[in-house]
Amino acid sequence: MRAAIVASGSELVRGDRHDRNGPYLAADLLRRGVEPARITVVGDDPAELEAAFRAGLEEDLLVVSGGLGPTHDDRTVELLARAAGVGLRVDPELEAGVEELSRRVAARLNRPYADFAEGVRKQATLPVGAEWVGLVGTAPAVVLALGERVAVALPGPPRELQELWPRVCETEPLRRLLARGGVPRRRVLRLFGVSESAVAQALAAVGGDGHGVDVTICARDFEIHIDLFVQPGADARADEIERGFEAAAGQYVFSRDERTTAELVLELLRERGLTLGTAESCTGGLVAARLTDVPGASDVFHGSVVAYANDVKRDRLGVPEQVLSEHGAVSGEAAAAMARGARDSLGVDVAVAVTGIAGPSGGSAEKPVGLVYLHAAGPDGELARRLDFPGDRETIRLRATVAALHLVRRLVTKS
Amino acid sequence: MRAAIVASGSELVRGDRHDRNGPYLAADLLRRGVEPARITVVGDDPAELEAAFRAGLEEDLLVVSGGLGPTHDDRTVELLARAAGVGLRVDPELEAGVEELSRRVAARLNRPYADFAEGVRKQATLPVGAEWVGLVGTAPAVVLALGERVAVALPGPPRELQELWPRVCETEPLRRLLARGGVPRRRVLRLFGVSESAVAQALAAVGGDGHGVDVTICARDFEIHIDLFVQPGADARADEIERGFEAAAGQYVFSRDERTTAELVLELLRERGLTLGTAESCTGGLVAARLTDVPGASDVFHGSVVAYANDVKRDRLGVPEQVLSEHGAVSGEAAAAMARGARDSLGVDVAVAVTGIAGPSGGSAEKPVGLVYLHAAGPDGELARRLDFPGDRETIRLRATVAALHLVRRLVTKS
């Protein structure tokens, strides 16, 4: 079972915006047992769109995002119908639905509905034989069954697409199609502190993937994410492969599910009844931002002092002037004082501090760009790390952020 | 002049990682006067790769990223040669270069070089007639001239690709190709506080684009980004279109260059000799992280108090207990007290505060999810805003972050 994904949008093909829909759909299709063959990003050029649709219709499933809007350069329905060799029709029920929404938009923008009428008719036009699902915005999802194959068109805004796609999967044509494929189970291993090549070697040592087990090894967010896609009946082989990873790098495994590291850290602290704060210099709030990205973080995470300037380190975190003058703001001593100061200042049980040189300037021979000190302090002890990260400013800041979260994890699990 | 981009990698086509190379190359090609026709993301399936290469070779330029590594599933060179109808050869100079690098890697990993030898020979294999540029990692960039057309293969890691691509553009085949196209000039307008449809209408009112001026209107990061790509000789038409935008939405234009809003805000404060801090609740450090993303931010940005818990708002920002109990932590009064408290606490001239309900839970009838209060306080006055953002947690946090930066901009420019 194979699918082609077409993401349309001139801002996407011009690199003004990254396509989020293709990766979302690909990952979800894989979970549903459909292999994504390709993701094609095209603009609004009709010839490009039609060629991509024709190629996509040769797969079991074609999923298109974007091009369902009211303006002349939204051509997905027209060109999909042409590529599939079917005509067009206006769906009266859909037209009524889009009209109702558009009348509300017109009222809010204080514009006459007449400005919208042509666009409404356009958005209510479907390929003959297609059904629709919606509406989240003013565009519906369109499902067109073509014998054994199915073509789907979804609105481009990621929020609308992600709300409509699971509903599309419940339609009869998709249910029939998905029932034909076997759904592989996914096993997950997350590692930190080990190289991608060591993990790849461990896989090679147990004979590689295949025989019903597809393995992806991916360095992501400076962690190593291993996914095993296990076909029905291949569990014994998957166990063997997992044991190979365990033998080679078991001590680096920190998770066996898809939670983010921030979720995991918050959960570990929650279980132990501990609160958390951060003291950040070079990461400038990124550790706090990661933690507060998690809904419901507030029972564990209380706050942060972003101490970019030395006087903030001194006055708000109580870093002694002597530490700053003798060891510098980027030092293990400063990191330790920041972490202890954050515990006091924020009134939290555990605090992690980050100070370093993110570059591009500010480095020296003994303190080069990429040098980062981390310090975690809690009720039962402390942990310190000195790291030398390669890469640019963004990379160094992100690596330091991830490493800070892992240092908290290690402190509270004593691992 | 048109280009096809092929990004290869099974982690990309499976949605495990977002492709960064396609958008980078597309945006850069556009600046060099080449229109990106499509970006195709494919895995390591040979048939998919070859089909994408064949389609790409029909354009003036094909640029491929990835698949140049030493392992069996790296097939770009072999399949590119097949699609172009040329043979393969080992380049001795390239082989010596890759060998030298690989010997160093082997020594570092404490593995015998023999493990690497086969991969080295593979990475030194090129299509007949191709030249190479490199090495940044162990893979070179490959440039293959095919009559008037050119095919380029670049290593997949974004850092290597972005270092090699400008050098590839200096090779003879690319210079010849780029010289054939006219390079459009780019004009930029950035707006905040106006809807995409109002801007689209302004464009329609002046007769739309075309006649040598290509206009993209893109809602990005909750701002409206307008780009005019102006062909040589079309400046008068571009002026007309710009005047149309000015007439319809001139008061919302905040920038005419490609600097980020964080850069712009820091520059405005720097010119005025002012320092900046933030006090953040629902954004949890995101405003500080945006500001410190800019190299050299430290002369302006001094720090932040991320006050997620009420006691941090009270103890670290001096928000009166009475404000919290009478108006709540999400209120205009709390935002004002946070901003004033941050000025004192961080010792900065200007502070911006954010407090709101990012959801998904925590909303109520009078304070729904998406309600955000902003307050900016400086030496010459204050500005407050109450906003109701639609969307999910991530969207609300990002919108609040962008709006906070713009509030600082408005405060210091008194606009």
Side-chain angles (χ1 to χ4, degrees):
Chain A
M1 294 282 291
R2 283 161 48 104
I5 298 166
V6 178
S8 78
S10 52
E11 75 284 8
L12 303 178
V13 80
R14 286 176 162 161
D16 279 335
R17 205 191 310 215
H18 288 217
D19 166 44
R20 287 167 54 191
N21 293 331
Y24 165 80
L25 290 167
D28 192 74
L29 282 167
L30 207 58
R31 275 192 289 272
R32 295 178 192 270
V34 181
E35 179 80 23
R38 83 197 76 97
I39 303 167
T40 311
V41 177
V42 282
D44 50 22
D45 178 51
E48 282 296 328
L49 275 165
E50 197 180 330
F53 292 169
R54 282 188 192 278
L57 288 173
E58 291 178 18
E59 310 296 338
D60 300 292
L61 174 64
L62 163 65
V63 188
V64 182
S65 83
L68 298 178
T71 64
H72 71 283
D73 51 3
D74 291 305
R75 298 193 176 93
T76 293
V77 165
E78 171 200 340
L79 295 171
L80 183 60
R82 193 190 296 175
V86 301
L88 292 167
R89 69 177 180 96
V90 174
D91 184 291
E93 192 195 340
L94 176 57
E95 192 173 19
V98 180
E99 176 174 340
E100 191 189 324
L101 288 165
S102 299
R103 283 195 184 276
R104 269 188 252 156
V105 175
R108 203 174 60 221
L109 298 177
N110 222 349
R111 284 165 57 194
Y113 173 71
D115 288 5
F116 291 77
E118 194 189 318
V120 169
R121 197 158 181 85
K122 185 168 176 306
Q123 287 191 287
T125 301
L126 299 179
V128 170
E131 56 187 289
W132 60 276
V133 177
L135 295 160
V136 177
T138 60
V142 179
V143 182
L144 177 62
L146 298 158
E148 293 279 274
R149 292 172 181 167
V150 183
V152 175
L154 296 160
R159 195 181 59 85
E160 290 180 38
L161 180 135
Q162 291 179 25
E163 201 168 323
L164 287 172
W165 170 245
R167 289 165 58 191
V168 162
C169 291
E170 295 301 313
T171 61
E172 197 46 40
L174 262 287
R175 286 163 71 104
R176 264 202 322 259
L177 183 132
L178 294 170
R180 271 160 47 208
V183 177
R185 286 202 317 116
R186 185 181 195 176
R187 297 193 195 182
V188 160
L189 289 166
R190 301 281 180 259
L191 297 86
F192 184 72
V194 65
S195 78
E196 194 175 359
S197 68
V199 175
Q201 263 191 292
L203 177 60
V206 291
D209 60 359
H211 304 289
V213 184
D214 208 0
V215 180
T216 66
I217 299 170
C218 182
R220 193 173 181 181
D221 230 7
F222 317 109
E223 299 165 352
I224 305 295
H225 291 196
I226 304 175
D227 290 312
L228 288 79
F229 295 92
V230 187
Q231 292 295 342
D235 277 302
R237 176 65 191 140
D239 291 343
E240 260 180 274
I241 293 175
E242 251 194 88
R243 278 195 298 271
F245 286 126
E246 284 286 352
Q251 73 266 41
Y252 303 106
V253 175
F254 68 88
S255 171
R256 290 178 171 277
D257 59 53
E258 294 182 64
R259 281 179 299 172
T260 65
T261 303
E263 285 178 89
L264 197 97
V265 164
L266 289 168
E267 190 53 38
L268 287 170
L269 288 156
R270 188 175 289 122
E271 285 165 5
R272 289 161 178 77
L274 298 171
T275 59
L276 176 66
T278 74
E280 306 186 42
S281 183
C282 66
T283 47
L286 283 173
V287 185
R290 278 282 176 107
L291 289 162
T292 56
D293 200 31
V294 180
S298 60
D299 58 340
V300 172
F301 179 79
H302 280 206
S304 172
V305 176
V306 178
Y308 221 56
N310 275 357
D311 54 355
V312 178
K313 292 187 184 75
R314 192 185 57 218
D315 300 342
R316 293 301 123 207
L317 290 170
V319 179
E321 188 62 56
Q322 192 206 342
V323 164
L324 294 171
S325 58
E326 278 180 25
H327 304 281
V330 178
S331 64
E333 290 80 2
M338 286 168 68
R340 291 167 199 154
R343 285 189 70 201
D344 286 347
S345 162
L346 298 168
V348 291
D349 301 311
V350 177
V352 63
V354 191
T355 181
I357 299 165
S361 61
S364 66
E366 76 272 37
K367 292 188 180 178
V369 169
L371 175 66
V372 173
Y373 290 93
L374 301 177
H375 199 98
D380 298 324
E382 306 196 351
L383 276 180
R385 287 208 70 179
R386 178 192 193 279
L387 297 156
D388 280 288
F389 291 127
D392 59 11
R393 182 178 178 86
E394 188 190 346
T395 306
I396 292 164
R397 279 160 49 92
L398 287 177
R399 289 191 85 136
T401 301
V402 173
L405 294 173
H406 281 285
L407 195 67
V408 174
R409 174 180 62 76
R410 286 182 48 209
L411 181 74
V412 296
T413 57
K414 302 200 194 310
S415 66
Chain B
M1 295 281 290
R2 282 162 48 104
I5 298 165
V6 177
S8 78
S10 53
E11 74 286 7
L12 303 178
V13 80
R14 285 177 163 162
D16 280 334
R17 203 190 312 214
H18 287 216
D19 167 43
R20 288 167 55 191
N21 293 330
Y24 165 81
L25 290 166
D28 192 76
L29 283 167
L30 208 58
R31 275 192 290 273
R32 296 178 191 267
V34 181
E35 179 80 23
R38 85 198 74 96
I39 302 167
T40 311
V41 177
V42 282
D44 49 21
D45 178 51
E48 282 295 328
L49 274 165
E50 196 180 330
F53 292 170
R54 282 187 191 279
L57 289 172
E58 291 178 18
E59 310 296 338
D60 301 292
L61 175 64
L62 163 65
V63 188
V64 182
S65 83
L68 297 178
T71 63
H72 71 284
D73 51 2
D74 291 305
R75 297 193 176 93
T76 292
V77 165
E78 171 201 341
L79 295 170
L80 183 60
R82 192 191 297 175
V86 301
L88 292 167
R89 68 178 181 97
V90 174
D91 184 292
E93 192 194 342
L94 176 56
E95 190 174 20
V98 179
E99 177 175 339
E100 191 190 324
L101 288 165
S102 299
R103 282 194 186 276
R104 267 188 255 157
V105 175
R108 202 173 61 222
L109 297 177
N110 221 349
R111 284 166 57 195
Y113 173 72
D115 287 6
F116 291 78
E118 193 189 319
V120 169
R121 197 160 181 85
K122 186 170 176 304
Q123 288 191 286
T125 302
L126 300 179
V128 170
E131 56 188 288
W132 62 276
V133 177
L135 295 161
V136 177
T138 60
V142 179
V143 181
L144 177 62
L146 297 160
E148 294 278 275
R149 293 171 179 169
V150 183
V152 176
L154 296 160
R159 195 180 61 84
E160 291 180 38
L161 180 137
Q162 291 180 25
E163 200 168 323
L164 287 172
W165 170 244
R167 289 165 59 190
V168 162
C169 291
E170 295 301 313
T171 61
E172 197 46 39
L174 262 288
R175 286 163 72 105
R176 266 204 320 261
L177 183 132
L178 294 171
R180 271 160 48 208
V183 177
R185 287 202 317 117
R186 185 180 195 177
R187 298 192 196 182
V188 160
L189 289 166
R190 301 280 179 262
L191 298 85
F192 184 70
V194 65
S195 77
E196 192 174 3
S197 69
V199 175
Q201 263 191 292
L203 176 61
V206 292
D209 59 359
H211 305 288
V213 184
D214 208 0
V215 180
T216 65
I217 298 169
C218 182
R220 193 175 180 179
D221 229 6
F222 317 108
E223 301 165 349
I224 304 295
H225 292 195
I226 304 176
D227 289 311
L228 288 78
F229 294 92
V230 187
Q231 293 294 342
D235 278 301
R237 178 65 191 139
D239 292 342
E240 261 181 90
I241 292 174
E242 252 194 86
R243 279 194 298 272
F245 285 126
E246 283 287 351
Q251 72 267 40
Y252 302 107
V253 175
F254 68 89
S255 171
R256 291 178 171 279
D257 59 52
E258 294 182 65
R259 280 179 300 172
T260 65
T261 302
E263 286 177 90
L264 197 98
V265 164
L266 290 168
E267 190 53 39
L268 287 170
L269 289 156
R270 189 173 289 122
E271 286 164 6
R272 289 160 178 76
L274 298 170
T275 58
L276 176 66
T278 74
E280 306 185 44
S281 184
C282 67
T283 45
L286 283 173
V287 185
R290 278 280 176 110
L291 290 162
T292 55
D293 200 31
V294 180
S298 61
D299 58 341
V300 171
F301 178 79
H302 279 206
S304 173
V305 176
V306 178
Y308 221 56
N310 276 357
D311 54 356
V312 178
K313 292 187 184 75
R314 190 185 58 219
D315 301 341
R316 294 301 122 208
L317 291 170
V319 179
E321 187 63 57
Q322 192 206 343
V323 165
L324 295 172
S325 59
E326 278 181 24
H327 303 281
V330 178
S331 64
E333 290 79 2
M338 286 168 70
R340 292 167 199 155
R343 283 190 71 202
D344 287 345
S345 162
L346 299 168
V348 291
D349 301 310
V350 177
V352 63
V354 192
T355 180
I357 299 165
S361 63
S364 65
E366 77 269 41
K367 295 189 179 177
V369 169
L371 175 66
V372 173
Y373 290 93
L374 302 177
H375 199 98
D380 299 324
E382 305 195 352
L383 277 179
R385 288 208 70 179
R386 178 191 192 280
L387 296 156
D388 281 288
F389 292 127
D392 59 11
R393 183 179 178 86
E394 189 189 346
T395 306
I396 291 164
R397 278 161 48 94
L398 288 177
R399 289 191 85 137
T401 300
V402 173
L405 294 173
H406 282 285
L407 196 66
V408 174
R409 174 180 63 75
R410 285 183 48 209
L411 181 74
V412 296
T413 58
K414 302 199 193 310
S415 65

